[in-house]
Amino acid sequence: MSVRHRRTAAAIVVAAVTAAGALAPALASAAPHAASAAAPAFLHVPASNGLTISNGSPWVLENGTWVNFRTDVRDLAWNRSGTKAAFVDSQGNLDVANPNGSGRVVVGKNPGGQTWSHPTWQIAKAYGVGIPAKDDLIFVASKGGTTRLETVPATAHNATPTQLPLNGYFGEPGAPLPTTGNNWPSGNGDYGTIVYDNPHTGEVYIRDDYLRQMGGAVVKGSEPALSPSGDEIVFVRSVGGHDHIFEFNYASPKPVIQDLTPHATTNYTEPVFSANGASIAFRTPTGIDVMPDHGRGAPVKVSSFVGLPAYRG
């Protein structure tokens, strides 16, 4: 059964249960103590673009404005509405805060001896009996060189996360899904779907929460990000000695894998979709580039600040 057919089946189950504005330069001077932030940090960004960049320091660049979270902000991720930020703090805990850094809450308490990274939001509406609403965070927990995907409610306080169940699609042949070595989760869409990679297998996997938490490998690559529609995945794959950005429209009747950066002469990494799915931002060695979805235009450098790109809703 194809991924598209599985997603169609999930939609049928749910139904049965429920019966760019114009470009404007935004200049930002270097923030105090922000690591090597050269001005201008933003070059060409639409006023309502929502692009943010973090680099592990307390300072986050949000639409050309520096925001001090007063603790280290590692692997920043936003919920779909852009009203809450999730990240790993200076103590290695998993925090949730308002966009201006206020109201910070330790959602998951690191027990020690672990390194946490790459949180992503899993938000979905309730659909009838037995399909509860989702407002969770999924992240990577590493201990003794072994990584696992773990989850915790996004509204928790000092909670102990639990390991995320990973089940293969029913009736499909092949080895069981790896439960360790998984990395880089990305959630989006309306069905609690996430994608993640596994460096040991070289595969990008998908997990559909509404298909009894089942999933499987979908494409070779790493650092995946799921589109807001839940139908497309951008990811990284090495070509000719450089990391390129690829896009996989896996829900299409004729799935296509497209190299969005075929002329890359440097490494492009850490892609992410904009909140409306129209743009894709990614890291370069000298800053952040943005390009239209489906490669309908060449990459444009929008920031000279090197860090992790993310979009607020």
Side-chain angles (χ1 to χ4, degrees), residues 34-46:
S36 60
F42 273 86
L43 307 175
H44 304 287
V45 180

mmCIF file with all atom_site columns, all heavy atoms in Angstrom, residues 34-46:
data_model
loop_
_atom_site.group_PDB
_atom_site.id
_atom_site.type_symbol
_atom_site.label_atom_id
_atom_site.label_alt_id
_atom_site.label_comp_id
_atom_site.label_asym_id
_atom_site.label_entity_id
_atom_site.label_seq_id
_atom_site.pdbx_PDB_ins_code
_atom_site.Cartn_x
_atom_site.Cartn_y
_atom_site.Cartn_z
_atom_site.occupancy
_atom_site.B_iso_or_equiv
_atom_site.pdbx_formal_charge
_atom_site.auth_seq_id
_atom_site.auth_comp_id
_atom_site.auth_asym_id
_atom_site.auth_atom_id
_atom_site.pdbx_PDB_model_num
ATOM 1  N N   . ALA A 1 34 ? 25.480 38.180 21.116 1.00 0.00 ? 34 ALA A N   1
ATOM 2  C CA  . ALA A 1 34 ? 25.096 37.186 20.108 1.00 0.00 ? 34 ALA A CA  1
ATOM 3  C C   . ALA A 1 34 ? 26.337 36.840 19.294 1.00 0.00 ? 34 ALA A C   1
ATOM 4  O O   . ALA A 1 34 ? 27.076 37.715 18.874 1.00 0.00 ? 34 ALA A O   1
ATOM 5  C CB  . ALA A 1 34 ? 24.006 37.727 19.200 1.00 0.00 ? 34 ALA A CB  1
ATOM 6  N N   . ALA A 1 35 ? 26.558 35.552 19.089 1.00 0.00 ? 35 ALA A N   1
ATOM 7  C CA  . ALA A 1 35 ? 27.803 35.100 18.485 1.00 0.00 ? 35 ALA A CA  1
ATOM 8  C C   . ALA A 1 35 ? 27.928 35.582 17.045 1.00 0.00 ? 35 ALA A C   1
ATOM 9  O O   . ALA A 1 35 ? 27.111 35.258 16.198 1.00 0.00 ? 35 ALA A O   1
ATOM 10 C CB  . ALA A 1 35 ? 27.882 33.577 18.538 1.00 0.00 ? 35 ALA A CB  1
ATOM 11 N N   . SER A 1 36 ? 28.978 36.332 16.778 1.00 0.00 ? 36 SER A N   1
ATOM 12 C CA  . SER A 1 36 ? 29.349 36.785 15.429 1.00 0.00 ? 36 SER A CA  1
ATOM 13 C C   . SER A 1 36 ? 28.163 37.185 14.575 1.00 0.00 ? 36 SER A C   1
ATOM 14 O O   . SER A 1 36 ? 27.957 36.665 13.488 1.00 0.00 ? 36 SER A O   1
ATOM 15 C CB  . SER A 1 36 ? 30.151 35.691 14.720 1.00 0.00 ? 36 SER A CB  1
ATOM 16 O OG  . SER A 1 36 ? 29.402 34.510 14.601 1.00 0.00 ? 36 SER A OG  1
ATOM 17 N N   . ALA A 1 37 ? 27.324 38.075 15.082 1.00 0.00 ? 37 ALA A N   1
ATOM 18 C CA  . ALA A 1 37 ? 26.158 38.540 14.326 1.00 0.00 ? 37 ALA A CA  1
ATOM 19 C C   . ALA A 1 37 ? 26.539 39.781 13.543 1.00 0.00 ? 37 ALA A C   1
ATOM 20 O O   . ALA A 1 37 ? 26.691 40.859 14.090 1.00 0.00 ? 37 ALA A O   1
ATOM 21 C CB  . ALA A 1 37 ? 25.008 38.839 15.270 1.00 0.00 ? 37 ALA A CB  1
ATOM 22 N N   . ALA A 1 38 ? 26.727 39.627 12.241 1.00 0.00 ? 38 ALA A N   1
ATOM 23 C CA  . ALA A 1 38 ? 27.139 40.743 11.406 1.00 0.00 ? 38 ALA A CA  1
ATOM 24 C C   . ALA A 1 38 ? 25.926 41.504 10.907 1.00 0.00 ? 38 ALA A C   1
ATOM 25 O O   . ALA A 1 38 ? 24.934 40.924 10.518 1.00 0.00 ? 38 ALA A O   1
ATOM 26 C CB  . ALA A 1 38 ? 27.958 40.228 10.230 1.00 0.00 ? 38 ALA A CB  1
ATOM 27 N N   . ALA A 1 39 ? 25.982 42.813 10.924 1.00 0.00 ? 39 ALA A N   1
ATOM 28 C CA  . ALA A 1 39 ? 24.882 43.632 10.420 1.00 0.00 ? 39 ALA A CA  1
ATOM 29 C C   . ALA A 1 39 ? 25.131 43.922 8.942  1.00 0.00 ? 39 ALA A C   1
ATOM 30 O O   . ALA A 1 39 ? 26.267 44.148 8.523  1.00 0.00 ? 39 ALA A O   1
ATOM 31 C CB  . ALA A 1 39 ? 24.797 44.924 11.209 1.00 0.00 ? 39 ALA A CB  1
ATOM 32 N N   . PRO A 1 40 ? 24.094 43.927 8.069  1.00 0.00 ? 40 PRO A N   1
ATOM 33 C CA  . PRO A 1 40 ? 22.726 43.615 8.442  1.00 0.00 ? 40 PRO A CA  1
ATOM 34 C C   . PRO A 1 40 ? 22.493 42.111 8.538  1.00 0.00 ? 40 PRO A C   1
ATOM 35 O O   . PRO A 1 40 ? 22.980 41.360 7.715  1.00 0.00 ? 40 PRO A O   1
ATOM 36 C CB  . PRO A 1 40 ? 21.905 44.201 7.292  1.00 0.00 ? 40 PRO A CB  1
ATOM 37 C CG  . PRO A 1 40 ? 22.820 44.092 6.111  1.00 0.00 ? 40 PRO A CG  1
ATOM 38 C CD  . PRO A 1 40 ? 24.211 44.326 6.657  1.00 0.00 ? 40 PRO A CD  1
ATOM 39 N N   . ALA A 1 41 ? 21.757 41.673 9.548  1.00 0.00 ? 41 ALA A N   1
ATOM 40 C CA  . ALA A 1 41 ? 21.502 40.255 9.738  1.00 0.00 ? 41 ALA A CA  1
ATOM 41 C C   . ALA A 1 41 ? 20.440 39.753 8.774  1.00 0.00 ? 41 ALA A C   1
ATOM 42 O O   . ALA A 1 41 ? 20.462 38.612 8.353  1.00 0.00 ? 41 ALA A O   1
ATOM 43 C CB  . ALA A 1 41 ? 21.073 39.980 11.172 1.00 0.00 ? 41 ALA A CB  1
ATOM 44 N N   . PHE A 1 42 ? 19.464 40.610 8.434  1.00 0.00 ? 42 PHE A N   1
ATOM 45 C CA  . PHE A 1 42 ? 18.478 40.266 7.420  1.00 0.00 ? 42 PHE A CA  1
ATOM 46 C C   . PHE A 1 42 ? 18.670 41.189 6.222  1.00 0.00 ? 42 PHE A C   1
ATOM 47 O O   . PHE A 1 42 ? 18.863 42.390 6.372  1.00 0.00 ? 42 PHE A O   1
ATOM 48 C CB  . PHE A 1 42 ? 17.056 40.409 7.966  1.00 0.00 ? 42 PHE A CB  1
ATOM 49 C CG  . PHE A 1 42 ? 16.561 39.183 8.665  1.00 0.00 ? 42 PHE A CG  1
ATOM 50 C CD1 . PHE A 1 42 ? 16.836 38.971 10.005 1.00 0.00 ? 42 PHE A CD1 1
ATOM 51 C CD2 . PHE A 1 42 ? 15.837 38.216 7.983  1.00 0.00 ? 42 PHE A CD2 1
ATOM 52 C CE1 . PHE A 1 42 ? 16.393 37.833 10.649 1.00 0.00 ? 42 PHE A CE1 1
ATOM 53 C CE2 . PHE A 1 42 ? 15.389 37.081 8.621  1.00 0.00 ? 42 PHE A CE2 1
ATOM 54 C CZ  . PHE A 1 42 ? 15.660 36.879 9.961  1.00 0.00 ? 42 PHE A CZ  1
ATOM 55 N N   . LEU A 1 43 ? 18.583 40.614 5.042  1.00 0.00 ? 43 LEU A N   1
ATOM 56 C CA  . LEU A 1 43 ? 18.831 41.374 3.832  1.00 0.00 ? 43 LEU A CA  1
ATOM 57 C C   . LEU A 1 43 ? 17.548 41.672 3.072  1.00 0.00 ? 43 LEU A C   1
ATOM 58 O O   . LEU A 1 43 ? 17.255 42.809 2.749  1.00 0.00 ? 43 LEU A O   1
ATOM 59 C CB  . LEU A 1 43 ? 19.808 40.599 2.937  1.00 0.00 ? 43 LEU A CB  1
ATOM 60 C CG  . LEU A 1 43 ? 21.119 40.171 3.615  1.00 0.00 ? 43 LEU A CG  1
ATOM 61 C CD1 . LEU A 1 43 ? 21.937 39.301 2.671  1.00 0.00 ? 43 LEU A CD1 1
ATOM 62 C CD2 . LEU A 1 43 ? 21.917 41.381 4.060  1.00 0.00 ? 43 LEU A CD2 1
ATOM 63 N N   . HIS A 1 44 ? 16.787 40.628 2.782  1.00 0.00 ? 44 HIS A N   1
ATOM 64 C CA  . HIS A 1 44 ? 15.534 40.793 2.041  1.00 0.00 ? 44 HIS A CA  1
ATOM 65 C C   . HIS A 1 44 ? 14.515 39.809 2.605  1.00 0.00 ? 44 HIS A C   1
ATOM 66 O O   . HIS A 1 44 ? 14.505 38.636 2.241  1.00 0.00 ? 44 HIS A O   1
ATOM 67 C CB  . HIS A 1 44 ? 15.739 40.529 0.548  1.00 0.00 ? 44 HIS A CB  1
ATOM 68 C CG  . HIS A 1 44 ? 16.801 41.369 -0.072 1.00 0.00 ? 44 HIS A CG  1
ATOM 69 N ND1 . HIS A 1 44 ? 16.631 42.716 -0.330 1.00 0.00 ? 44 HIS A ND1 1
ATOM 70 C CD2 . HIS A 1 44 ? 18.058 41.068 -0.460 1.00 0.00 ? 44 HIS A CD2 1
ATOM 71 C CE1 . HIS A 1 44 ? 17.731 43.204 -0.859 1.00 0.00 ? 44 HIS A CE1 1
ATOM 72 N NE2 . HIS A 1 44 ? 18.621 42.227 -0.950 1.00 0.00 ? 44 HIS A NE2 1
ATOM 73 N N   . VAL A 1 45 ? 13.660 40.279 3.483  1.00 0.00 ? 45 VAL A N   1
ATOM 74 C CA  . VAL A 1 45 ? 12.673 39.413 4.122  1.00 0.00 ? 45 VAL A CA  1
ATOM 75 C C   . VAL A 1 45 ? 11.325 40.114 4.132  1.00 0.00 ? 45 VAL A C   1
ATOM 76 O O   . VAL A 1 45 ? 11.229 41.259 4.585  1.00 0.00 ? 45 VAL A O   1
ATOM 77 C CB  . VAL A 1 45 ? 13.077 39.061 5.578  1.00 0.00 ? 45 VAL A CB  1
ATOM 78 C CG1 . VAL A 1 45 ? 12.040 38.165 6.218  1.00 0.00 ? 45 VAL A CG1 1
ATOM 79 C CG2 . VAL A 1 45 ? 14.433 38.365 5.589  1.00 0.00 ? 45 VAL A CG2 1
ATOM 80 N N   . PRO A 1 46 ? 10.249 39.485 3.632  1.00 0.00 ? 46 PRO A N   1
ATOM 81 C CA  . PRO A 1 46 ? 8.928  40.107 3.729  1.00 0.00 ? 46 PRO A CA  1
ATOM 82 C C   . PRO A 1 46 ? 8.574  40.435 5.173  1.00 0.00 ? 46 PRO A C   1
ATOM 83 O O   . PRO A 1 46 ? 8.944  39.701 6.090  1.00 0.00 ? 46 PRO A O   1
ATOM 84 C CB  . PRO A 1 46 ? 7.993  39.024 3.166  1.00 0.00 ? 46 PRO A CB  1
ATOM 85 C CG  . PRO A 1 46 ? 8.869  38.199 2.283  1.00 0.00 ? 46 PRO A CG  1
ATOM 86 C CD  . PRO A 1 46 ? 10.230 38.213 2.925  1.00 0.00 ? 46 PRO A CD  1
#
